[in-house]
Amino acid sequence: MSINQQRATQIAQVLTEALPYIQRFSGKTLVIKYGGNAMTDDALKNSFARDVVLLKAVGINPVIVHGGGPQIGALLEKIGKQSEFINGMRVTDRETMDIVEMVLGGQVNKSIVNLINSHGGRAVGLTGKDGSLIFAEKMQFSAGDPTLNASEVIDLGHVGKVSSIDTGVIDMLINSDFIPVIAPVGVGKDGESYNINADLVAGKIAEVLQAEKLILLTNTPGLLDADGTLLTGLNARQVNDLIEQGVIYGGMLPKIGCALDAVQAGVTSAHIIDGRVQHAVLLEMFTDEGVGTLIRGGGR
């Protein structure tokens, strides 16, 4: 068999393996949180865009929610403004919020939209302020003081959490064969803008849409046990056990919490996958092996 024939056979085998997954997920909604290396490396950016276009072409409805922390930090540094973080959350005063909106809603959002469209997709960029998509409220953060046996409320400024989501504009775009690309900026009852964690926004949108899957792209292979072995096929009870055992800790806790909330609210499954792998989304969706950690509801 020639090299060309071998390659053709391999492609046919890949398509055959993918077919039952395509049939199962056709017409379903998939919410993807896009961030990390997948959003900064050119090869990974292009593979992600092609993945999204292919998903839409085979009848799946992808909804993209993106972050942009490094880009925000870079612009703040350029204008001489110091970034300040408390427990991993950016302290966001009014001037910083203006930068956040400009970077997330403008620079980052439009570059993702342009990239998807350049690969044959039909993407439309939004922030949570468009169509009253995301209503937010100010996040209150308390830090315990062991010396005073008291709690101090720390003001993070324009850092918010989701209070409600109106999916009307998303539904309209999906039904018109567009791909929504959403920046995680919400608006409060007071008309103020709020910067919201992109994982949290993706999870809440997946819940309200009752999505088939929530996919969180990360810079790790997924959820690892104490020996560094990839864990997958977990349910809520097993994940909670791992948290109690200290296997899940630090920066992975918010992602796991977001995934758990989603599956317990009706999302069929959540996936924490390695965004450093080209075509990670397709590999997780359409192959038997996948490239990350899958979490299902149940087993509470």
Side-chain angles (χ1 to χ4, degrees), residues 33-37 39-40 65-76 83 85 90 96 99-109 111-112 182-185 195-199 217 255:
K33 187 271 178 159
Y34 178 46
N37 281 27
M39 209 168 79
T40 56
V65 179
H66 65 82
Q71 293 89 337
I72 293 167
L75 186 52
L76 287 171
S83 291
F85 293 88
R90 186 187 300 277
T96 301
I99 298 294
V100 167
E101 285 202 81
M102 182 168 62
V103 172
L104 291 182
Q107 174 192 338
V108 175
N109 188 274
S111 68
I112 297 168
I182 302 165
V185 173
N195 182 19
I196 311 174
N197 177 275
D199 289 332
L217 289 169
K255 272 188 201 304

Side-chain angles (χ1 to χ4, degrees), residues 32 79 155 221 252-253 297:
I32 306 170
I79 67 171
D155 188 358
M252 187 58 78
L253 276 171

Side-chain angles (χ1 to χ4, degrees), residues 15-28:
L15 292 172
T16 300
E17 183 178 339
L19 179 59
Y21 295 104
I22 293 171
Q23 291 171 324
R24 185 193 310 173
F25 301 132
S26 181
K28 304 290 187 180

